[in-house]
Amino acid sequence: MILDGHVPAGPLEQKWDRHRNELALVNPANKRKFHIIVVGTGLAGASAAASLAELGYQVSAFCFHDSPRRAHSIAAQGGINAAKNYQNDGDSVWRLFYDTIKGGDFRSREANVYRLAQVSVNIIDQCVAQGVPFAREYGGLLANRSFGGAQVSRTFYARGQTGQQLLLGAYSALCRQIGLGQVKMYPRTEMLDLVVVEGHAKGIITRNLRTGEIQRHAADAVVLATGGYGNVFYLSTNAVNSNVTATYRAYKRGAFFANPCFTQIHPTCIPVSGDHQSKLTLMSESLRNDGRVWVPKKKGDTRPPDQIPEEERDYFLERMYPSYGNLAPRDIASRAAKRVCDEGRGVGPGGLGVYLDFSDAIRRLGIEVVRERYGNLFDMYREITDEDPYKVPMRIYPAVHYTMGGLWVDYNLMSNLPGLFVIGEANFSDHGANRLGASALMQGLADGYFILPYTIGDYLARSKQPRPDVDRPEFRDAEAAVRASIERLFGINGKHPVDVFHRELGKLLWDHCGMSRSEASLRHALQEIPKIRERFWKEARVTGGPEEINQALERAGRVADFLEFAELMCLDALERRESCGGHFREEFQTEDGEAQRDDENFCHVAAWEYRGPGEPPVRHIEPLRFEFVKLTTRSYK
């Protein structure tokens, strides 16, 4: 099947404006008759729920935390991009668009990326109006700093708490609507299935995480804003509860899963310290503005950093990529760090680390300026490692951070299932094979505040599908399937906690489908994953009962989904016989070790269709057409 992204015709700069003018509208008096479900209340979900409620729709918002304030969006602390050009350094909507589409290695839809750059300027205005305390210059304008993959300063920030402050803004808007009665909030509630009625997404099945009650919810449309699936690797920078369950179960109900092999590895994370860990910690990419990355020139050099003279240090990013230096994009900086560690020049326990050194910045700017810019990040590093980054360089190493794959959506952010909209990290749409720093917050808020409120109205205005009753057979069958799945988990009655299998799966994926992959490693993973899954269903143990608070049950369901999803991920990586962005196939690289794309055969989105238990999924494609930019080999040298 050739998928149609429904990209509007016409000049790139005019596509979104013309499309908005052509979208069908819902009469304000009729909006209150429509009921919309929003699953997930991070930046994308909270902004969408608040905006839809403000328009007059009835909204039910679901969150598995006790509060939307716990959403993983707060972890994106470094900043948010917008093409405001306050610095007069040559930035523009076009340059943000081009940097983003180039950074994604030309594997994203041209029109979506341009729209993202366009609305970026509105996002900043909206957030300022909400009271988000962005940093300011002495003259009063908002301050900017640089991030990887760009040669201009377009990243707005609130010290090292940008994600948290933006989330507080969206959360405040959401709370206002909860207070007005336009949003009904369901905290501590997890979506466990999607209900499809006559081909349209019309509801969900949930479990109340406090009481265990299984509930049916019907609506006129369903929005998934449930984030990414990076925790399939077990160790990642994601919050421990981040998972794939909502999107994977929508996939099993007919939604296509696009580019699941596209995983972002972030270069500036605190290295793994042992088997005791359940997660990793990200140090913001903003640190690479002033920090210099280096390793000793000599292999096996274990001297403390202050005893290694300048001439014996290798500032490898500055050497390899002189144009961008320490601000090389994340995929390239990550692979460069892995390369020098593989050469035996890594630092710290196990040699899996490189230095991020602020001594030059402290000498140049003074310690107070550095403290003002990055103080909370330095404090966090010191608390975790017991090392003072003002005195000794930080040690960092790449780690799983973000997933560019997700459910396939068209230009309206609607999946191939009518009525199912997918926003933020949960969809595949805007970042291609690699996301530039400070663009995740931008996409989440663009989708929630400025795109979905327009496009979902078009579906509701044109759809002739009435809101179903929750007593329909489709709801009964979906609820029965959820109950059967829970009973099956309790019925295993094995002896190992589910984390044992999750950890094993994560290590297998990191080793064979991580920062680099090969045909041999992927085939090995595809052989091993079914074995882990088989043992899980024989040996896992889920304690407690179904009608109570039961985190063992919650985790078991998510791990069961990861064990199936991991196979899809490896299959996608195996079929994509090229290297692009975060997907690095060892067989496809240039002589100097850079990714080698195959535009002739793989300039497309790969979207997978579920065909039932035991059946191989079917791969569909959406060709990517570049009318306004020329496909070029990425170079940051």
Side-chain angles (χ1 to χ4, degrees):
M1 178 191 294
I2 303 297
L3 290 167
D4 184 355
H6 301 117
V7 174
L12 187 62
E13 298 84 355
Q14 299 174 19
K15 284 181 187 291
W16 177 230
D17 289 339
R18 291 173 60 170
H19 187 61
R20 281 191 300 174
N21 292 337
E22 293 166 358
L23 290 171
L25 298 175
V26 179
N27 182 316
N30 287 336
K31 285 192 172 85
R32 67 178 70 99
K33 299 175 183 175
F34 289 108
H35 185 187
I36 300 170
I37 284 173
V38 178
V39 185
T41 51
L43 271 184
S47 58
S51 301
L52 295 171
E54 189 75 43
L55 287 170
Y57 296 111
Q58 301 173 56
V59 178
S60 292
F62 295 83
C63 166
F64 64 53
H65 296 294
D66 53 354
S67 162
R69 286 184 61 179
R70 291 186 181 274
H72 181 65
S73 300
I74 67 162
Q77 304 285 44
I80 177 171
N81 285 334
K84 285 285 198 184
N85 193 31
Y86 283 161
Q87 309 292 318
N88 287 326
D89 57 359
D91 199 12
S92 65
V93 168
W94 176 268
R95 197 176 292 276
L96 174 53
F97 154 71
Y98 187 75
D99 284 348
T100 306
I101 209 153
K102 174 187 171 188
D105 226 345
F106 301 92
R107 289 294 176 264
S108 48
R109 199 183 284 140
E110 201 177 44
N112 283 56
V113 179
Y114 193 85
R115 177 178 62 185
L116 180 66
Q118 275 180 304
V119 303
S120 69
V121 297
N122 304 109
I123 294 170
I124 299 303
D125 294 342
Q126 167 109 358
C127 295
V128 169
Q130 286 174 334
V132 173
F134 286 117
R136 290 178 183 269
E137 302 285 5
Y138 72 95
L141 284 179
L142 302 185
N144 291 139
R145 58 189 176 197
S146 304
F147 256 54
Q151 291 180 311
V152 297
S153 295
R154 63 163 72 99
T155 304
F156 295 78
Y157 62 99
R159 299 192 71 177
Q161 304 172 358
T162 314
Q164 181 170 332
Q165 296 299 333
L166 292 173
L167 186 63
L168 286 171
Y171 176 61
S172 300
L174 176 63
C175 285
R176 177 172 181 273
Q177 296 301 325
I178 294 172
L180 292 171
Q182 285 296 114
V183 174
K184 184 172 183 182
M185 189 70 215
Y186 291 84
R188 300 294 290 147
T189 304
E190 183 164 30
M191 169 186 157
L192 294 182
D193 209 348
L194 178 74
V195 181
V196 180
V197 178
E198 297 178 358
H200 289 245
K202 289 295 180 186
I204 60 173
I205 305 296
T206 63
R207 179 174 180 271
N208 184 314
L209 299 181
R210 288 172 298 184
T211 66
E213 181 185 4
I214 306 296
Q215 295 178 320
R216 309 171 189 175
H217 303 271
D220 295 287
V222 176
V223 180
L224 296 187
T226 52
Y229 48 82
N231 272 343
V232 68
F233 289 88
Y234 188 73
L235 285 180
S236 82
T237 65
N238 288 188
V240 170
N241 280 332
S242 298
N243 64 83
V244 76
T245 288
T247 50
Y248 189 70
R249 296 192 184 183
Y251 161 73
K252 293 175 83 171
R253 288 291 178 186
F256 291 175
F257 215 113
N259 298 337
C261 75
F262 284 176
T263 304
Q264 178 162 85
I265 312 293
H266 198 297
T268 56
C269 305
I270 297 178
V272 176
S273 62
D275 293 336
H276 62 284
Q277 285 177 274
S278 59
K279 76 179 299 300
L280 298 175
T281 303
L282 168 70
M283 301 307 296
S284 170
E285 183 172 14
S286 62
L287 294 169
R288 288 196 282 145
N289 265 295
D290 291 309
R292 300 180 70 192
V293 180
W294 65 275
V295 291
K297 286 183 178 176
K298 189 170 67 177
K299 292 181 182 178
D301 190 339
T302 57
R303 289 177 291 174
D306 62 345
Q307 295 179 18
I308 300 177
E310 188 73 14
E311 62 273 16
E312 294 182 35
R313 299 178 179 186
D314 179 12
Y315 294 91
F316 57 93
L317 289 178
E318 298 171 35
R319 172 176 57 83
M320 296 163 70
Y321 307 102
S323 294
Y324 283 75
N326 295 298
L327 289 176
R330 293 175 176 180
D331 58 330
I332 287 173
S334 294
R335 282 196 290 275
K338 180 178 186 297
R339 197 180 308 164
V340 296
C341 290
D342 289 347
E343 290 169 1
R345 297 191 288 138
V347 300
L352 293 179
V354 299
Y355 288 128
L356 179 59
D357 193 339
F358 286 84
S359 56
D360 281 356
I362 290 172
R363 276 194 295 272
R364 186 178 73 252
L365 302 169
I367 195 167
E368 287 308 316
V369 172
V370 172
R371 194 189 309 278
E372 183 180 336
R373 291 180 181 176
Y374 312 111
N376 62 319
L377 296 168
F378 278 41
D379 293 344
M380 183 172 72
Y381 181 86
R382 182 165 47 196
E383 288 175 11
I384 293 173
T385 65
D386 198 28
E387 296 174 3
D388 185 350
Y390 292 104
K391 298 177 180 174
V392 296
M394 291 182 179
R395 288 179 296 105
I396 57 171
Y397 193 69
V400 173
H401 176 57
Y402 189 90
T403 48
M404 287 74 70
L407 292 182
W408 183 88
V409 291
D410 66 7
Y411 189 69
N412 284 339
L413 304 182
M414 188 164 76
S415 73
N416 59 300
L417 280 180
L420 178 65
F421 291 79
V422 191
I423 61 176
E425 192 179 353
N427 74 28
F428 86 100
S429 68
D430 289 358
H431 306 298
N434 176 53
R435 179 176 64 78
L436 290 186
S439 288
L441 301 177
M442 180 173 65
Q443 189 215 347
L445 291 179
D447 289 357
Y449 280 137
F450 295 107
I451 300 171
L452 182 76
Y454 289 97
T455 60
I456 201 169
D458 183 72
Y459 167 76
L460 295 171
R462 297 179 194 275
S463 174
K464 305 301 179 189
Q465 299 288 325
R467 188 189 323 157
D469 191 280
V470 294
D471 290 329
R472 282 185 63 111
E474 293 88 347
F475 279 87
R476 289 202 302 271
D477 293 347
E479 180 183 334
V482 166
R483 291 185 183 279
S485 172
I486 292 173
E487 288 174 10
R488 188 183 177 202
L489 288 169
F490 280 113
I492 304 172
N493 202 24
K495 56 185 178 182
H496 298 301
V498 297
D499 279 3
V500 169
F501 305 95
H502 192 180
R503 190 181 288 113
E504 187 177 351
L505 174 70
K507 186 170 188 320
L508 179 74
L509 285 181
W510 178 250
D511 290 342
H512 298 282
C513 188
M515 242 190 298
S516 65
R517 307 101 186 255
S518 67
E519 178 165 349
S521 74
L522 291 166
R523 290 196 183 283
H524 175 77
L526 285 167
Q527 285 180 346
E528 295 301 312
I529 292 168
K531 296 176 186 174
I532 302 173
R533 191 166 61 232
E534 185 178 350
R535 286 195 286 107
F536 171 87
W537 286 108
K538 287 180 179 175
E539 301 173 10
R541 184 174 181 82
V542 182
T543 54
E547 296 181 351
E548 60 188 24
I549 294 175
N550 190 337
Q551 292 188 323
L553 174 61
E554 295 168 27
R555 292 183 66 79
R558 295 166 192 165
V559 173
D561 289 333
F562 279 141
L563 284 165
E564 293 184 16
F565 173 73
E567 204 168 339
L568 182 70
M569 201 172 159
C570 292
L571 187 58
D572 186 52
L574 181 64
E575 291 297 320
R576 187 169 283 276
R577 292 178 169 80
E578 65 166 350
S579 291
C580 56
H583 168 68
F584 189 76
R585 281 283 297 265
E586 293 169 4
E587 307 94 318
F588 307 101
Q589 56 181 303
T590 61
E591 289 182 356
D592 52 355
E594 303 293 344
Q596 191 168 47
R597 285 200 325 260
D598 180 351
D599 293 334
E600 185 175 347
N601 295 303
F602 291 97
C603 189
H604 57 238
V605 177
W608 294 86
E609 178 186 5
Y610 181 73
R611 298 302 293 268
E615 296 293 323
V618 176
R619 187 177 190 265
H620 304 288
I621 66 165
E622 178 199 341
L624 292 170
R625 297 184 178 86
F626 293 90
E627 302 174 71
F628 302 94
V629 297
K630 184 180 176 184
L631 286 165
T632 57
T633 300
R634 291 169 77 206
S635 174
Y636 296 91
K637 294 184 176 178

